[in-house]
Each structure stands twice: as structure tokens, then as C-alpha cells.
Amino acid sequence: MKRREFQLALLAATLGRAGLAPAQDRWPDRPVKVVLSQPAGSGPDNVARLLCDGLAQAIGQPVVIDNKPGGQNVIGAQAVARAPADGYTLYFATTAALVTNSYLFKTLPYEPVKDFAPVAFVANSPFAVLVKEDSPIASLPDLVARSAREPGKLSIANEGPRTFGGMIARVINARSKAQANLVSYSSVGVALQNILGGHADAVVADLASTSQLARQGRLRVLSVTTAKRVAGWEQVPTVAEFLPGIEMSGWMAMVAPAGTPQAVVQRLNTEINRLLVQPAIAEKMLAIGPIAAPGGSPAQFEAFLLDEHKRLGQIALEIGLLPE
């Protein structure tokens, strides 16, 4: 038996050298699919398409976007969590899908930590407080003062309490002692239409979804939610300049189903980071809204995710947003 086992092992090694290598060694030999939880034309979708165009050239295979919006990111995240861990299905994820959903829902059909392999951090996605360009509200302190004078009258649109934008709105309302009426909409697009139509006074939304309207002069950015002022928006103060300690920037990242071969994860990480350092890509991304953040390893991204879970979980408790 020992002699036969040795012969089988020798045969396997010979076949491997002859070109029958493990599947991950041949990756990719067909198109790669990247799932998004947002619709086509949204900020994350625009960033993903920019990145995936470059990724397709780098790996020599088409990289196809598969939009699965709805369910507060659950539909898209669940689809990837259940996909084969072979490197041919990836998830372009945001803060909500991988972190805050854990603290907003008692049950999820996926495990935000266990079901995904961190691949690469892509970009920071600043959120902002915006008003219609002709609004009499001149600044975030002005918005808070007006809401305090007339409690419940001034309205701040958002995507709902169980979204990242909704959490930001509640944190600002709570820490400023504002009396604003927080109005939930089914999507950021609907919220923006209501702002432009004069049906709400302000909106909390990501810059990726609102920057074009702001640059067109239809919306005015009052403040951003990052710790420091945002490149390209240096004239806009941060929320923390008025309410110290508030830092709630969204982000975008690439993950894969848990169990995806490490060689594939590392190849993707390397190629994505090579793209993010290219000035042309970084500039195009900034024009959309997010800020490219290259250089991180899968291990560093994993550590970041654990820190985000702890920090945002505490914020959810602070504003009384318990799982439902």
C-alpha cells in the first residue's frame, strides 16, 4: 500500500507540473461578477464601474457589475454570502452592509463578519448635510438654531433610521439638542427630489450621490461628516467643527465569500491598490465623491472592520437605535 500511495502522489505531482494546477492557480479563466446593493447610476455604482473597468484590464477578463438593490443591502450581501468561494463573485460593499446592519436588525440572512473575506479597502465616502441652493439656512449652526426656535418644524430628509445616513441625522439631532423633524424616504434619490421640490429643508446623504447636484449649483453643502475637511470641498466645514467628536464617514470596499482562496484575495488586493494609486482614477473617483484610499492589505482591512463594529455599535446604543 505504501508503494501504491507513493506512486499516486508522484502521478499527482507530475500532472500538476503538466498544467493541471489547482483552480486558483488558473484564476481568472472566465468573467468575474461584482455584486452591488445599489442601483445603476448611484454613487457606489459609479465608483464600482470606474474601478472594475481598470480591474478587467489588469486581470485579463471581463468584470461584470450585477446590481441587486433593495432590502437595505440585504439582497446583495446575501447573494454573495451564498455564492461559491471561487473568486468569480465579489461584493462591492458599503458601511451599512458590513457593519451597521449588525446593530439595526435582530436577524440577518447573512453574517457580516463571518460570511465575507476582506479583499481591499477602496475609498472613504464622506456624508454631508445639504440644503437647496436658495435655502435661507446658511450653515449647520444656523440649521440647529432654527430647529430649536421652532421645534419639529424644520425637516431633515434621510434614507431612514436603519441606514447610515439616518444614523448620522439622529446623532446630529441628539448631540446638538436640535428639534428637527427627521423624515425618512425610501432612497437617497427620493430624498433629494423632495429637497429640490421644497418638501424638506435639509438632507443627510453621501457626497457620492449628491456631489453632481452640488457642483451644478442645485444643492449647497453645509458640512461634511469626516474628521477633516474633504479634498475638493475644502471650503466646507466638518460637522465636528461645530459638534466635536462626530466622525461618521462611510466607505466602500471589496470583499469575497468567506473561504475564497488566499492567492485570489491577494491578487485582487494587489490589482485594486495599483488602480487606486493612479492619479487619473483617484481624480475621477473624487469627482464622483469618494476619496481613494490605497495601500491597505486584507489583514489591515479586517482589523479596520472590527474597529468599525465596536465604534458604530456604541453609537447605535447612544442614539437608542436598537435592533428590530
Side-chain angles (χ1 to χ4, degrees):
M1 286 296 294
K2 290 184 179 180
R3 181 179 179 185
R4 180 171 177 77
E5 289 171 359
F6 175 77
Q7 289 174 331
L8 289 173
L10 183 62
L11 176 61
T14 302
L15 290 174
R17 288 193 297 270
L20 298 179
Q24 61 262 35
D25 292 343
R26 301 193 301 272
W27 184 94
D29 60 6
R30 53 190 169 90
V32 174
K33 178 173 67 177
V34 175
V35 175
L36 272 80
S37 292
Q38 296 77 27
S42 63
D45 177 79
N46 292 333
V47 173
R49 290 179 189 276
L50 173 65
L51 187 68
C52 290
D53 284 347
L55 186 59
Q57 296 181 30
I59 66 175
Q61 289 287 344
V63 179
V64 182
I65 299 290
D66 184 10
N67 299 97
K68 292 184 180 296
Q72 295 186 202
N73 297 276
V74 170
I75 296 173
Q78 182 181 12
V80 177
R82 294 180 177 179
D86 56 10
Y88 291 97
T89 301
L90 307 174
Y91 185 40
F92 193 75
T94 59
T95 317
L98 295 187
V99 181
T100 55
N101 273 0
S102 300
Y103 307 98
L104 302 180
F105 300 96
K106 287 183 178 179
T107 59
L108 286 170
Y110 69 95
E111 288 282 347
V113 175
K114 296 180 181 179
D115 286 347
F116 302 103
V119 173
F121 191 88
V122 173
N124 288 300
S125 180
F127 274 64
V129 182
L130 307 97
V131 294
K132 193 177 178 182
E133 179 57 32
D134 59 2
S135 170
I137 299 172
S139 63
L140 182 60
D142 184 27
L143 182 152
V144 171
R146 287 170 183 264
S147 68
R149 287 196 299 269
E150 299 181 89
K153 184 176 180 180
L154 188 145
S155 60
I156 300 178
N158 60 86
E159 291 183 89
R162 302 193 172 280
T163 64
F164 195 65
M167 288 180 67
I168 292 171
R170 291 185 68 161
V171 170
I172 292 173
N173 219 23
R175 294 193 186 179
S176 68
K177 309 301 182 187
Q179 301 294 319
N181 180 26
L182 304 184
V183 183
S184 300
Y185 292 93
S186 59
S187 68
V188 67
V190 175
L192 293 176
Q193 288 303 313
N194 275 269
I195 285 289
L196 295 173
H199 305 299
D201 298 297
V203 63
V204 174
D206 60 298
L207 272 180
S209 298
T210 57
S211 61
Q212 186 174 2
L213 290 170
R215 289 192 170 97
Q216 290 172 352
R218 301 175 67 190
L219 291 177
R220 179 156 35 91
V221 186
L222 297 183
S223 61
V224 291
T225 63
T226 45
K228 298 179 180 179
R229 295 196 180 196
V230 175
W233 302 89
E234 289 87 355
Q235 76 282 9
V236 178
T238 66
V239 172
E241 290 175 42
F242 173 55
L243 300 169
I246 293 183
E247 177 190 355
M248 292 185 69
S249 177
W251 41 262
M252 301 174 185
M254 194 77 80
V255 298
T260 297
Q262 188 57 37
V264 175
V265 169
Q266 189 55 57
R267 170 80 187 280
L268 284 165
N269 177 271
T270 299
E271 299 298 353
I272 289 171
N273 279 318
R274 282 176 180 168
L275 292 168
L276 293 176
V277 297
Q278 294 180 18
I281 288 181
E283 289 169 9
K284 289 178 181 177
M285 194 175 293
L286 185 59
I288 297 169
I291 304 165
S297 67
Q300 289 171 322
F301 179 26
E302 183 176 18
F304 169 81
L305 282 174
L306 295 177
D307 287 342
E308 283 286 271
H309 271 274
K310 181 179 179 180
R311 188 174 69 87
L312 294 176
Q314 291 173 341
I315 289 175
L317 289 175
E318 174 193 343
I319 60 178
L321 197 56
L322 300 177
E324 289 184 357

